[in-house]
């Protein structure tokens, strides 16, 4: 440490970086990875191969080197009892691990994602594998056309991901539970999900959607087509906010397979019609209730009830993944009943507001007439007996 | 009138028992001086009228209101949505409270600028200021009763201020809250203050205040002393004009209640974070904003404590106005008092506006 701290450039960098490294905080030193005599002051003695000094660690040797500790449950338990110790086992099953085993050193190993001498905990926002940073870390290689060229892998995943609802949730709303690359592909065991298992991957978060999809006529058809599941309609990396337009009309994803005159096309149009009807009804109720609320009317109860309508809308959107009109119609009808009820309440509140204003106008008229009467009475009184001057008191 | 005093009639019967003829005699001779500032005499009566409305609407609200954290909000919601004209009663009660405090302030400043506090009306001034304090107490205690989010956190802030007073602050805050924090016990307590303690004290003070006004008559401004002023009979001339003013107040009150019904807001949730931009009712905005401007520490003294000490000194100085307003020869320092009144009014208006818009 002392020697390298006095050097320049790449020989000094590890010492500077290591100050923030999680291993430094737990008392590990250079010799734990590079070997040598940690107590020797003399550089020759400290870096003596006879004392196990390895110097630069080959890229192919990195996973095994890290695993000396990270696969040792007893050792890891001392520092972080809940830390997993299966990273190497998983890595060996990954595309990265398999290719490294064949001698391809261009694939990612531990240090490519976690950094070398500046390794931080995953929860540290400065760590390259923190959920907010991970997509960019993966993109360092996967968005690099030159790097990916030998593997014939597309490089648009990161660009597409940045247009997705998942990226929006992660980066704009700061929702760390939103999916990043590792959520679908795994982290140490990184591999592309097989097309047949895509629905299962999405279903880890979108449980109800998966249940509905499994009941739908699409599942066996898509499976026969070679899989793809959710991605056939929603795409994979660039998943946008779904909307009713995906069912029917120009740009509908259903139209990719179903002709508008076919049974499937008609069902899609029916479902789109039902969902649009519910959305319109709820939006109109919202508008009426907002007008009543802005007029100062107490409509908190129907506003609360309106949430049941929105919940029915969500249920209908979930049920839509069963691709059965009847399944969608049930929650839609429930939602329409709520929308009608809340709209009636809002309209009643607006009628009450108008009645109040009429009542106010009549009251004001009565008050003004009374005041005029009083004023005339005062004038009549004072014309008969005018005020008399007297000396002012204190 | 003649029938009221006819021997053997009802008037004579009541007169013998209640001494009504003495009251009639008093009313017949009571006059009000006429000058350029006579209009300000009406504001005391308007404040009294609004207080009467408060009592009447308050009694109606009591028929349905339930003072517990689980029922308070719902009972006010019930009043506003299910009870016939409940919305109007609640809205009038809330608007009238604010208008009453507003007219009470006008009344106080008119007394200052007309120098009506001077000898022998010192106790009338003191009783009036105590009444204003009680009105603010009504406002503070009543604000919590709907148990909504804004009122809950405003009460938290208000009682926290009390806790920062040295020596007895924590005991006072604990007494107000009925515990370590604002909760169900605070609501019950504030309800008790609002419907029993404060009305009792106010009625007592009101009798003293009105009695003293009758005892000393209407004050004339210092610049009219020694001059001959036209006098208006209190009954019926001034009273009819006052009645017109009450009708005008009723029109304003009705319009505000019907066009801008008092909002109920969201139910209080003690576990939710305080909403952004929380602030007290308008009549507490000036001190609230002043305290916000004071740094957390000035030298070694806590800023909030320093602010509260400043307000206490200011209040004491204002309460003692009739005593420092006269010089050793008994002459009123009208310029000093007018200057102090203008300065206080400017401070209250400016800081209330800043507190509202910032």
């Amino acid at each position: 440490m002392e020697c390298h701290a006095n050097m320049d450039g790449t020989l000094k960098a590890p010492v500077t970086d290591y100050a923030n490294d999680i291993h430094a905080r737990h008392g590990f030193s250079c010799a734990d990875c590079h070997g040598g005599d940690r107590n020797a002051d003399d550089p020759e003695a400290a870096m003596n191969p006879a004392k196990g000094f390895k110097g630069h660690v080959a890229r192919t040797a990195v996973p095994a080197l890290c695993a000396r500790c990270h696969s040792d449950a007893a050792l890891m338990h001392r520092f972080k009892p809940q830390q997993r110790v299966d990273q190497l086992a998983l890595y060996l099953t990954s595309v990265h691990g398999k290719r490294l085993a064949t001698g391809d050193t261009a694939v990612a190993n531990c240090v490519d994602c976690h950094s070398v001498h500046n390794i931080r905990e995953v929860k540290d926002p400065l760590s390259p594998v923190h959920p907010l940073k991970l997509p960019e870390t993966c993109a360092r290689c996967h968005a690099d056309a030159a790097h990916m060229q030998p593997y014939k892998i597309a490089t648009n995943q990161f660009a597409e991901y940045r247009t997705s609802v998942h990226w929006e949730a992660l980066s704009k709303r700061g929702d760390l539970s939103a999916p990043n690359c590792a959520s679908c592909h795994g982290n140490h065991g990184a591999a592309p999900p097989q097309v047949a298992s895509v629905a299962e991957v999405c279903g880890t978060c979108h449980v109800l959607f998966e249940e509905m999809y499994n009941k739908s006529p699409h599942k066996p058809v898509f499976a026969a087509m070679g899989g793809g599941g959710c991605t056939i309609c929603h795409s994979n990396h660039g998943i946008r906010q779904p909307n009713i337009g995906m069912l029917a009309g120009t740009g509908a994803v259903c139209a990719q397979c179903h002709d508008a005159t076919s049974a499937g096309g008609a069902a899609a149009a029916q479902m789109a019609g039902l969902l649009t009807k519910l959305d319109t009804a709820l939006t109109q109720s919202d508008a009426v209730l907002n007008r009543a609320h802005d007029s100062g009317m107490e409509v908190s109860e129907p506003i609360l009830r309106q949430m049941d309508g929105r919940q029915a809308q969500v249920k209908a959107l979930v049920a839509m993944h069963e691709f059965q009109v009847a399944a969608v119609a049930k929650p839609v009808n429930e939602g329409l009943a709520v929308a009608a009820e809340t709209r009636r309440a809002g309209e009643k509140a607006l009628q009450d507001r108008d009645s109040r204003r009429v009542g106010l106008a009549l009251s004001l008229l009565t008050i003004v007439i009374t005041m005029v009467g009083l004023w005339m009475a005062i004038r009549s009184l004072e014309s008969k007996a005018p005020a008399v001057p007297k000396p002012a008191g204190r | 009138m003649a029938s009221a005093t006819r021997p053997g009639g009802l008037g004579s019967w009541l007169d013998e028992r209640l001494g009504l003829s003495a009251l009639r005699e008093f009313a017949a001779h009571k006059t009000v001086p006429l000058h350029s500032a006579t209009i300000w005499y009406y504001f005391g009566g308007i404040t009294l009228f609004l207080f009467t409305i408060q009592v009447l609407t308050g009694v109606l609200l009591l028929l349905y209101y339930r003072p517990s954290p689980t029922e308070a909000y719902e009972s006010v919601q019930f009043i506003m949505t299910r009870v016939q004209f409940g919305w109007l009663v609640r809205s009038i009660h809330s608007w009238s409270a604010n208008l009453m405090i507003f007219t009470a302030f006008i009344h106080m400043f008119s007394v200052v600028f007309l120098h009506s506090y001077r000898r022998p009306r010192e106790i009338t001034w003191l009783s009036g200021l105590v009444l204003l304090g009680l009105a603010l107490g009504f406002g503070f205690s009543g604000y919590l009763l709907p148990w909504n989010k804004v009122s809950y956190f405003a009460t938290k802030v208000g009682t926290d201020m009390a806790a920062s007073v040295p020596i007895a602050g924590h005991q006072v805050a604990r007494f107000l809250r009925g515990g370590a924090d604002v909760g169900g016990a605070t609501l019950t307590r504030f309800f008790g203050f609002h419907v029993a303690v404060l009305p009792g004290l106010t009625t007592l003070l009101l009798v003293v205040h009105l009695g003293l006004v009758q005892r000393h008559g209407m004050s004339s401004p210092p610049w009219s002393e020694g001059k001959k002023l036209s006098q208006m009979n209190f009954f019926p001339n001034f009273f009819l004009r006052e009645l017109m003013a009450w009708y005008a107040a009723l029109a304003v009150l009705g319009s505000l209640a019907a066009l801008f019904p008092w909002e109920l807001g969201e139910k209080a949730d003690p576990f939710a974070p305080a909403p952004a931009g929380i602030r007290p009712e308008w009549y507490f905005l000036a001190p609230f904003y002043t305290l916000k401007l004071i740094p957390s520490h000035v030298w070694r003294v806590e800023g909030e404590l320093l602010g509260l000490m400043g307000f206490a000194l200011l209040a004491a100085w204002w309460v003692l106005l009739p005593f420092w307003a006269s010089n050793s020869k008994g002459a009123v320092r009208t310029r000093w008092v007018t200057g102090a009144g203008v300065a206080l009014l400017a401070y209250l208006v400016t800081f209330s506006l800043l507190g509202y818009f910032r």
Side-chain angles (χ1 to χ4, degrees):
Chain A
M1 281 276 193
E2 280 177 28
C3 296
H4 278 268
N6 292 321
M7 293 178 178
D8 295 319
T10 53
L11 291 172
K12 182 181 180 174
V15 178
T16 314
D17 287 348
Y18 198 61
N20 297 314
D21 195 292
I22 179 76
H23 300 100
R25 292 219 319 260
H26 287 300
F28 290 89
S29 74
C30 313
D32 288 305
C33 294
H34 294 284
D37 185 352
R38 74 184 68 217
N39 298 317
D41 292 330
D42 174 37
E44 294 288 325
M47 297 191 289
N48 186 351
K51 294 206 172 166
F53 180 70
K54 291 190 279 282
H56 179 74
V57 180
R59 285 183 61 79
T60 49
V62 169
L65 177 68
C66 296
R68 278 192 320 164
C69 298
H70 282 272
S71 294
D72 183 340
L75 179 77
M76 291 309 295
H77 189 82
R78 280 168 47 201
F79 301 103
K80 199 171 180 186
Q82 290 183 332
Q83 179 73 22
R84 290 175 65 157
V85 289
D86 59 352
Q87 294 93 338
L88 179 64
L90 285 168
Y91 179 74
L92 294 176
T93 67
S94 74
V95 173
H96 297 144
K98 284 176 183 168
R99 292 201 70 93
L100 189 75
T102 64
D104 180 356
T105 55
V107 294
N109 64 37
C110 314
V111 297
D112 292 307
C113 300
H114 291 276
S115 91
V116 190
H117 298 109
N118 184 19
I119 298 171
R120 293 162 187 263
E121 279 196 277
V122 176
K123 66 183 178 189
D124 184 333
L126 292 175
S127 164
V129 289
H130 182 270
L132 287 174
K133 291 266 184 73
L134 187 73
E136 286 168 43
T137 301
C138 296
R140 283 210 310 262
C141 297
H142 283 274
D144 181 344
H147 199 108
M148 289 295 117
Q149 197 272 331
Y151 308 107
K152 296 187 172 42
I153 295 176
T155 53
N156 60 349
Q157 302 94 334
F158 184 53
E160 280 191 9
Y161 176 72
R162 279 162 65 107
T163 65
S164 73
V165 286
H166 294 148
W167 167 258
E168 191 182 314
L170 185 70
S171 65
K172 294 188 183 159
R173 297 208 302 269
D175 180 356
L176 299 184
S177 68
N180 56 36
C181 314
S183 312
C184 302
H185 296 280
N187 45 15
H188 300 104
Q194 299 306 303
V195 281
S197 65
V198 165
E200 279 82 9
V201 171
C202 300
T204 53
C205 297
H206 300 283
V207 182
L208 287 173
F209 291 90
E210 188 195 3
E211 269 180 32
M212 296 294 153
Y213 174 73
N214 286 342
K215 286 195 272 182
S216 81
H218 281 141
K219 190 182 180 187
V221 176
F222 286 175
M225 284 163 61
C230 313
T231 62
I232 290 178
C233 300
H234 293 281
S235 87
N236 49 8
H237 299 107
I239 298 166
R240 311 286 167 82
Q241 187 67 44
N243 57 60
I244 299 171
M246 290 171 73
L247 285 168
T250 52
V253 290
C254 299
Q256 291 170 11
C257 303
H258 297 282
D259 187 82
T261 54
S262 67
Q270 260 184 291
M271 288 189 291
L274 284 168
L275 292 169
T276 306
K277 191 176 172 187
L278 177 58
D279 189 56
T280 308
L282 288 169
T283 306
Q284 285 172 347
S285 297
D286 274 339
V288 172
L289 288 171
N290 284 340
R291 266 191 9 243
H293 179 262
D294 292 345
S295 306
M297 304 303 292
E298 170 51 36
V299 282
S300 55
E301 280 181 65
I303 285 175
L304 195 66
R305 176 79 173 121
Q306 185 77 341
M307 286 170 72
D308 292 338
R310 291 289 174 196
Q311 208 169 9
Q313 188 181 28
V314 171
K315 279 185 192 169
L317 289 168
V318 174
M320 196 271 298
H321 290 82
E322 202 179 325
F323 301 102
Q324 303 285 351
V325 176
V328 178
K330 190 171 173 278
V332 164
N333 289 333
E334 284 170 16
L336 285 172
V338 172
E341 181 190 323
T342 51
R343 187 180 172 137
R344 273 197 304 276
E347 283 169 348
K348 167 82 171 50
L350 287 173
Q351 280 170 8
D352 285 350
R353 178 202 64 182
D354 294 341
S355 308
R356 289 177 188 186
R357 290 181 178 178
V358 171
L360 172 67
L362 291 173
S363 308
L364 289 180
L365 186 68
T366 312
I367 287 173
V368 169
I369 291 170
T370 312
M371 286 173 76
V372 170
L374 280 170
W375 180 242
M376 287 166 71
I378 292 167
R379 291 288 296 271
S380 156
L381 202 71
E382 290 180 353
S383 65
K384 289 176 195 163
V388 184
K390 281 185 194 171
R394 285 182 72 89
Chain B
M1 287 294 163
S3 66
T5 54
R6 195 174 61 231
L10 179 65
S12 168
W13 189 87
L14 286 172
D15 191 17
E16 188 184 344
R17 282 147 188 87
L18 301 173
L20 293 179
S21 56
L23 280 175
R24 265 201 304 276
E25 185 70 14
F26 173 76
H29 290 96
K30 184 174 168 63
T31 57
V32 177
L34 283 171
H35 50 80
S36 58
T38 300
I39 191 167
W40 300 108
Y41 291 147
Y42 295 102
F43 281 90
I46 295 173
T47 309
L48 180 63
F49 169 69
L50 292 169
F51 176 71
T52 312
I53 287 188
Q54 285 302 99
V55 173
L56 295 176
T57 51
V59 168
L60 290 175
L61 289 173
L62 264 181
L63 300 179
Y64 291 97
Y65 178 73
R66 298 193 201 108
S68 79
T70 49
E71 293 181 303
Y73 181 87
E74 285 75 8
S75 66
V76 178
Q77 196 173 43
F78 183 82
I79 289 169
M80 291 180 72
T81 54
R82 302 277 193 278
V83 178
Q84 195 79 355
F85 291 109
W87 66 272
L88 184 65
V89 174
R90 197 240 164 181
S91 206
I92 283 190
H93 191 75
S94 304
W95 273 115
S96 174
N98 284 275
L99 286 181
M100 183 181 82
I101 290 173
F102 183 65
T103 55
F105 269 108
I106 294 179
H107 182 50
M108 179 185 78
F109 278 107
S110 69
V111 166
V112 172
F113 294 130
L114 293 176
H115 305 283
S116 307
Y117 50 80
R118 63 196 196 279
R119 195 171 69 88
R121 294 184 178 81
E122 294 92 335
I123 297 175
T124 318
W125 165 262
L126 291 176
S127 61
L129 278 194
V130 177
L131 279 169
L132 178 64
L134 289 170
L136 295 177
F138 268 116
F140 186 61
S141 57
Y143 197 49
L144 178 70
L145 300 189
W147 198 247
N148 60 30
K149 203 192 250 184
V150 179
S151 69
Y152 175 84
F153 284 103
T155 307
K156 223 170 156 58
V157 173
T159 49
D160 274 345
M161 278 183 193
S164 62
V165 172
I167 305 169
H170 281 286
Q171 280 77 5
V172 170
R174 206 175 170 82
F175 169 73
L176 286 172
R177 290 169 175 168
D181 212 338
V182 176
T186 322
L187 182 64
T188 322
R189 239 157 234 238
F190 274 38
F191 177 69
F193 293 145
H194 195 75
V195 305
V197 180
L198 293 173
L201 290 174
T202 304
T203 308
L204 198 70
L205 257 293
L206 208 52
V207 169
V208 172
H209 192 71
L210 292 175
L212 287 171
V213 171
Q214 303 317 312
R215 166 79 182 80
H216 299 300
M218 306 298 257
S219 159
S220 299
W223 56 83
S224 65
E225 269 182 45
K227 293 180 189 166
K228 279 199 166 185
L229 283 181
S230 291
Q231 301 286 322
M232 182 200 295
N233 285 330
F234 188 85
F235 279 109
N237 305 47
F238 185 84
F239 180 73
L240 288 177
R241 281 183 166 83
E242 183 74 61
L243 209 54
M244 279 182 70
W246 291 1
Y247 269 109
L250 190 63
V252 171
L253 190 56
S255 304
L256 288 170
L259 297 177
F260 308 102
W262 204 264
E263 253 200 88
L264 178 58
E266 283 177 53
K267 187 175 177 174
D269 178 2
F271 299 108
I278 186 134
R279 59 174 177 230
E281 284 281 63
W282 62 270
Y283 37 85
F284 292 122
L285 274 178
F288 173 75
Y289 187 68
T290 311
L291 288 174
K292 264 174 81 174
L293 289 183
I294 299 175
S296 65
H297 280 85
V298 180
W299 286 319
R300 289 179 184 177
V301 186
E302 211 176 298
E304 194 171 79
L305 177 61
L306 197 71
L308 290 175
M309 280 162 60
F311 291 135
L313 286 174
L314 183 69
W317 172 73
W318 195 244
V319 166
L320 297 173
L321 183 144
F323 305 100
W324 58 258
S326 306
N327 61 21
S328 54
K329 292 173 186 165
V332 180
R333 300 180 175 109
T334 51
R335 284 187 181 177
W336 278 90
V337 175
T338 305
V342 168
L344 183 63
L345 189 57
Y347 160 71
L348 289 176
V349 171
T350 311
F351 277 66
S352 297
L353 288 174
L354 286 172
Y356 187 81
F357 289 109
R358 282 198 172 187

